[in-house]
Amino acid sequence: MNFFKALFGGKEEKPEDKKKAEEEKDFDVLKYDGVRALRSGQYDYAIRCFTHALGMKEDLEIRDYASQAMIRADRLPEAFEQLRKIAEAQPENMQVFIRMANVAYMMEDYTAMADACEKAILIDNTDAEAVYLYAKACIGHGDTTNAIAMLTKALTLNPEYHEARLLRAETLLSTNDTDGADEDTTQLMKNNLENEDILILKARIERAKGNANNAILYYDKTIEANPFNANAYKERGELKTEMGDETNGLNDIKYATELLNQQDGNAGNENIEKKVGDAYKNANPFGV
């Protein structure tokens, strides 16, 4: 064999080159299997593949995939750690900090969330999403004054940021500023006449103002938009009872309890998928 290699100019493969090629092949197999497992919902297996691959060599794309799998497996601190390592390698990649803020929000770690938002804002102080998330961190800390200020800034940066306007309305209502909350809600209703979150907020504002009949009207509209909105039934039932209509009020409350019991049984996986959607919405630094 060596004679023919010498005769035809062939070069014998060195052991170290062969080992390196095998390692590269193993790495690619682990990555492929991990991505396939991630997309098919086999999150624990995906995590094992990605963890093994990262043990072979550093790869930021693999860390990103691993963070996705860990979120879906509800292993949030591990996902946050993967994102932290990406952020260390790419300190100017603000979308990583946005992602970290979302994961910290899922963990209810509002200090870590605020820290990630601050770093994102330092990179780009005109990014409305980073400011909005910072407001959510403030709310988590019970700091409604700064939350309202940050939401106002987010809306200044993007007047069409409906999530920020809705959250500001909810926050204003929590401080008993019903007029401010109503102003935001009225603005939202111009283009979102069938949005259940806006309709139920309008009902709560009318109830806080003492306009019981108007509140009932908007609870009705909320239920028309979503017949399975347990909170709308519960709050409408409470209000009807306060108004003296105990029979219909208690029926609403009873039905709300039945809906909540049904929803609790299916909440686990749906909540995780919603968390994933929130965490990765408009925050995908590697395009994967």
Side-chain angles (χ1 to χ4, degrees), residues 25-44:
K25 182 180 178 181
D26 290 343
F27 180 86
D28 289 340
V29 169
L30 285 166
K31 177 179 178 180
Y32 175 79
D33 283 354
V35 172
R36 184 175 59 183
L38 172 62
R39 290 174 177 168
S40 64
Q42 298 173 291
Y43 305 130
D44 288 335

Side-chain angles (χ1 to χ4, degrees), residues 94-279:
M94 73 170 295
Q95 292 304 321
V96 174
F97 292 110
I98 295 288
R99 186 93 61 84
M100 290 173 70
N102 276 302
V103 174
Y105 181 69
M106 298 178 212
M107 295 191 296
E108 300 182 3
D109 186 342
Y110 303 114
T111 299
M113 183 184 186
D115 181 64
C117 291
E118 287 170 1
K119 289 175 180 175
I121 292 168
L122 282 173
I123 297 169
D124 182 1
N125 62 7
T126 66
D127 188 276
E129 184 181 11
V131 176
Y132 166 72
L133 290 171
Y134 192 84
K136 293 179 76 171
C138 290
I139 291 171
H141 281 132
D143 185 358
T144 55
T145 300
N146 278 323
I148 292 168
M150 296 303 290
L151 290 166
T152 301
K153 181 179 179 181
L155 287 165
T156 300
L157 293 168
N158 179 7
E160 300 304 314
Y161 202 155
H162 299 307
E163 291 89 348
R165 192 173 297 280
L166 178 62
L167 184 57
R168 186 173 73 172
E170 292 170 344
T171 308
L172 288 168
L173 180 59
S174 74
T175 66
N176 297 315
D177 184 354
T178 54
D179 290 338
D182 204 11
E183 184 177 342
D184 271 342
T185 305
T186 300
Q187 181 70 22
L188 286 165
M189 291 178 67
K190 289 180 180 179
N191 299 313
N192 299 277
L193 294 177
E194 297 182 357
N195 183 292
E196 63 180 292
D197 294 327
I198 298 170
L199 291 169
I200 197 170
L201 178 58
K202 177 64 174 173
R204 289 165 177 166
I205 292 168
E206 293 297 331
R207 184 178 180 183
K209 286 184 172 182
N211 301 329
N213 289 328
N214 281 345
I216 293 291
L217 173 65
Y218 282 103
Y219 282 125
D220 291 345
K221 289 179 180 291
T222 304
I223 291 167
E224 287 176 14
N226 178 10
F228 303 101
N229 191 314
N231 288 325
Y233 280 105
K234 177 178 178 293
E235 293 172 27
R236 187 178 70 173
E238 292 170 348
L239 185 53
K240 283 181 177 179
T241 302
E242 291 171 9
M243 295 168 68
D245 186 359
E246 292 189 3
T247 300
N248 287 320
L250 291 174
N251 284 337
D252 271 353
I253 294 170
K254 180 181 178 182
Y255 187 59
T257 302
E258 293 173 359
L259 283 175
L260 287 170
N261 288 337
Q262 292 173 8
Q263 292 166 7
D264 285 344
N266 300 319
N269 291 334
E270 291 178 2
N271 285 343
I272 292 299
E273 290 304 316
K274 184 177 187 302
K275 287 177 180 180
V276 172
D278 290 344

